[in-house]
Amino acid sequence: MLKILKYSFFDLMRSRWSYVYFAFYLLLGIVLLFLNNDLSKAVITLMNVIIVLVPLIGTIFGVMYYYNSKEFTELLLAQPLKRSSIFLGQYLGVAISLSMSLILGLGIPFIAYGLFKSNAIWDFYLLLITGTFLTLIFTALAFNIALTNENKIKGFGYAILLWLFLAIIYDGLFLMSLVLFEDYPLDKLSLIGTMLNPIDLSRTLILLKLDISALLGYTGAVFKKFFGTNFGLIISFVMLVIWVILPVLRIVLKSKKKDF
Amino acid sequence: MVNIENLHKRFNKNIVLSGVDLNITEGGIFAILGPNGSGKTTLIKSILGMVIPNKGTINVLGENIKNSSNYRHKIDYLPQIANFPNNLKVKELIKMIKDLRGDTNEDERLIELFTLHPFLDKKLGNLSGGTKQKVNLVLTFMFDSPLIILDEPTTGLDPISLIRLKDLIQTEKAKGKTILITSHIMSFVEEVSDEIVFLLEGQIYFRGSISELKNKTNQPDFEHAIASILTENNA
């Protein structure tokens, strides 16, 4: 698996898109820091960008990479390699190179600004960790979609829909259900609703850590009341890990049964 | 060498293989023939584990291939259309496959044989179909495995390369290897193969030597013998 990971990783590192992605975060980091002049405000703005953008890039990149490397995959399948190591290697290659672009692109300007001397360093770490989790989750979901759909156009369509649903539509539905059932106790519903969407989960996680009650919203408040800040953080992390494991498991199972 | 029992495969509603039994003994060249869509490539890909059968068992060198990948060390496979990653250089691809399968020095000789030196630093996406096929051949023949599977090996090759390919096949046969070939070029099949397996509608219609096939169909030459099977069965 490590060999496949190595080839996929270097293949992506040579591609122009990794640099574009890296440069984008670099620019974003620099602009935010020097416009805001305030590290913790910059972290909040970044959170809002990351939480929407990282899933989008992860999904699109994942689907694109899978379809583009179809030939490579077929070549590998005829070699004495396990299917699970081929697909996991490719998946990790994509996810790790995307995470690297994110971490380096944001890390460099923040370090240059003097992050290590600031109190915001833990918030910033958390931001990067959540970004990495979101990359892992959405790349895995994208691989699932691509493995299930032979048709490229369909695959892309489903991938975009998935992103649109989790990043935008889900929140709308969630909010509507809260308004609709406001006469009932909604604590449990809103907790479960947040856990089932990795984007919402990441947002709650960061806001809990930043401890900004004004931005927490109803779910965040419930989270905090229910679990307390620390326990809430742990629960959110556990959920994020589950969100990574389940799609990765499906990649392994699905790839075992697929014909090429 | 290869033992296939009651192999069934369908893609959605399209039944491709329905109960193939095939036993391929060690040594010699076997040609798998059949009209378009008769399941030749599916059969080969099943042996390679790329297609998962719905039913049936396949043994390669005495080992059941289900859920196994190590047996592919003993197979050299030439895929039908040379689909390679386009942004890789020829040199890098050869190095990569060596890295994945184990080291070999045969590639130097094969690159020489197919005069591929000028192309080593070119990207695979910029090569012509014939040159890609030559790279494909180098990748296949550079390992010393007891079973060689060639899916349409002649595609795109010029006459000189074709002669070299035939020589190569004969040398491998002389080493006692088993070679499976599919091809639509009947003259090529007639020249190289010892035995033919004819697939029709997902089953083995005929198996034997070329002269047996001629006798069976009462045709003077091989090409007509094949054609008569096809017309008789409206394939």
Side-chain angles (χ1 to χ4, degrees):
Chain A
M1 186 178 88
L2 285 177
K3 277 180 185 169
I4 311 288
L5 170 62
K6 186 181 82 186
Y7 283 111
S8 294
F9 182 75
F10 284 117
D11 185 32
L12 277 161
M13 275 294 139
R14 282 197 305 191
S15 94
R16 177 161 43 108
W17 290 108
S18 296
Y19 291 106
V20 173
Y21 192 51
F22 167 70
F24 171 80
Y25 278 121
L26 198 65
L27 201 72
L28 186 74
I30 292 170
V31 167
L32 277 181
L33 278 177
F34 291 91
L35 283 185
N36 257 329
N37 249 331
D38 179 348
L39 217 50
S40 43
K41 272 188 192 155
V43 169
I44 295 172
T45 318
L46 266 181
M47 176 202 83
N48 282 320
V49 178
I50 282 183
I51 261 164
V52 176
L53 198 70
V54 165
L56 178 67
I57 301 286
T59 325
I60 298 291
F61 245 73
V63 175
M64 209 165 71
Y65 185 81
Y66 178 88
Y67 286 125
N68 270 346
S69 58
K70 224 168 172 294
E71 283 101 24
F72 181 50
T73 312
E74 276 174 24
L75 187 71
L76 293 176
L77 282 166
Q79 308 301 327
L81 299 164
K82 274 197 201 125
R83 281 193 176 191
S84 52
S85 44
I86 295 175
F87 288 98
L88 285 185
Q90 289 187 346
Y91 159 67
L92 287 176
V94 178
I96 291 176
S97 74
L98 285 179
S99 307
M100 284 253 303
S101 298
L102 173 79
I103 292 171
L104 290 180
L106 288 181
I108 290 171
F110 272 75
I111 288 171
Y113 189 79
L115 179 76
F116 288 123
K117 290 180 210 121
S118 151
N119 292 328
I121 184 154
W122 293 110
D123 300 343
F124 184 70
Y125 274 143
L126 186 69
L127 192 72
L128 291 186
I129 291 170
T130 338
T132 311
F133 263 117
L134 284 176
T135 310
L136 288 171
I137 291 168
F138 279 87
T139 315
L141 290 175
F143 263 68
N144 271 296
I145 290 174
L147 268 168
T148 323
N149 291 286
E150 274 303 297
N151 187 332
K152 264 189 204 187
I153 310 285
K154 260 193 186 167
F156 267 103
Y158 286 137
I160 298 278
L161 270 181
L162 173 82
W163 171 77
L164 204 65
F165 180 76
L166 288 179
I168 296 159
I169 300 173
Y170 190 91
D171 276 352
L173 291 177
F174 191 48
L175 208 65
M176 248 160 54
S177 68
L178 290 186
V179 172
L180 222 64
F181 300 108
E182 63 183 336
D183 296 341
Y184 302 90
L186 289 170
D187 310 24
K188 290 237 168 69
L189 178 78
S190 65
L191 271 181
I192 294 167
T194 308
M195 302 250 195
L196 290 182
N197 182 345
I199 297 181
D200 276 354
L201 197 60
S202 311
R203 187 182 293 129
T204 317
L205 179 62
I206 296 172
L207 290 176
L208 270 180
K209 176 75 182 75
L210 290 177
D211 216 0
I212 311 165
S213 329
L215 288 176
L216 266 177
Y218 179 69
T219 331
V222 171
F223 238 82
K224 202 169 171 181
K225 196 184 89 195
F226 236 76
F227 299 122
T229 305
N230 278 331
F231 191 53
L233 282 176
I234 293 168
I235 290 280
S236 327
F237 264 123
V238 171
M239 276 314 288
L240 282 177
V241 173
I242 292 174
W243 260 105
V244 178
I245 292 173
L246 287 182
V248 169
L249 270 182
R250 191 171 175 272
I251 292 178
V252 174
L253 292 179
K254 188 81 195 163
S255 67
K256 269 198 185 133
K257 290 190 195 130
K258 197 170 154 68
D259 296 316
F260 290 90
Chain B
M1 195 73 177
V2 180
N3 196 6
I4 299 172
E5 272 168 37
N6 194 26
L7 188 69
H8 288 260
K9 179 68 197 173
R10 59 168 203 280
F11 295 102
N12 296 324
K13 280 180 185 165
N14 181 15
I15 296 167
V16 182
L17 297 175
S18 52
V20 172
D21 289 293
L22 183 62
N23 185 25
I24 288 171
T25 48
E26 202 174 326
I29 301 173
F30 296 81
I32 298 172
L33 305 178
N36 298 333
S38 59
K40 301 185 292 286
T41 299
T42 305
L43 181 63
I44 282 179
K45 284 189 168 177
S46 306
I47 297 175
L48 282 159
M50 292 168 78
V51 166
I52 317 277
N54 296 114
K55 219 168 115 186
T57 52
I58 302 172
N59 287 299
V60 175
L61 291 145
E63 185 192 348
N64 191 336
I65 65 159
K66 205 174 175 191
N67 296 328
S68 166
S69 62
N70 248 341
Y71 75 99
R72 286 199 282 269
H73 270 297
K74 293 166 191 143
I75 302 179
D76 290 335
Y77 169 57
L78 181 96
Q80 188 165 24
I81 304 156
N83 265 337
F84 296 127
N86 283 330
N87 52 357
L88 222 58
K89 287 179 189 164
V90 177
K91 211 164 59 180
E92 291 169 330
L93 179 68
I94 294 174
K95 207 179 133 214
M96 186 185 90
I97 297 292
K98 273 161 86 172
D99 186 27
L100 291 172
R101 283 198 68 160
D103 211 8
T104 165
N105 296 318
E106 273 295 280
D107 54 325
E108 285 300 323
R109 190 179 66 83
L110 289 163
I111 289 167
E112 197 73 46
L113 185 71
F114 289 110
T115 54
L116 280 172
H117 269 296
F119 302 102
L120 283 183
D121 279 312
K122 291 213 170 115
K123 286 195 172 174
L124 283 150
N126 299 333
L127 299 184
S128 74
T131 316
K132 268 191 203 170
Q133 184 69 354
K134 287 185 199 168
V135 176
N136 204 358
L137 285 167
V138 171
L139 293 179
T140 309
F141 282 100
M142 71 182 181
F143 297 102
D144 192 26
S145 312
L147 178 60
I148 300 173
I149 297 175
L150 309 171
D151 200 350
E152 299 281 355
T154 57
T155 315
L157 290 183
D158 56 39
I160 300 176
S161 309
L162 192 58
I163 291 171
R164 301 217 161 112
L165 171 65
K166 285 177 194 162
D167 289 344
L168 209 55
I169 292 174
Q170 292 304 337
T171 347
E172 297 301 315
K173 184 194 162 188
K175 290 183 196 162
K177 294 186 180 182
T178 313
I179 303 167
L180 292 184
I181 298 179
T182 73
S183 179
H184 282 293
I185 317 289
M186 287 306 142
S187 56
F188 175 75
V189 172
E190 193 171 9
E191 199 179 330
V192 300
S193 61
D194 301 321
E195 206 169 322
I196 62 168
V197 175
F198 197 92
L199 280 179
L200 200 63
E201 285 162 3
Q203 283 179 325
I204 293 178
Y205 180 82
F206 171 83
R207 181 186 171 174
S209 68
I210 290 174
S211 54
E212 280 167 9
L213 181 73
K214 285 180 194 164
N215 285 338
K216 189 182 174 183
T217 54
N218 278 326
Q219 294 288 337
D221 66 277
F222 180 49
E223 205 155 10
H224 281 92
I226 295 288
S228 84
I229 296 181
L230 295 183
T231 41
E232 263 173 45
N233 291 282
N234 305 317

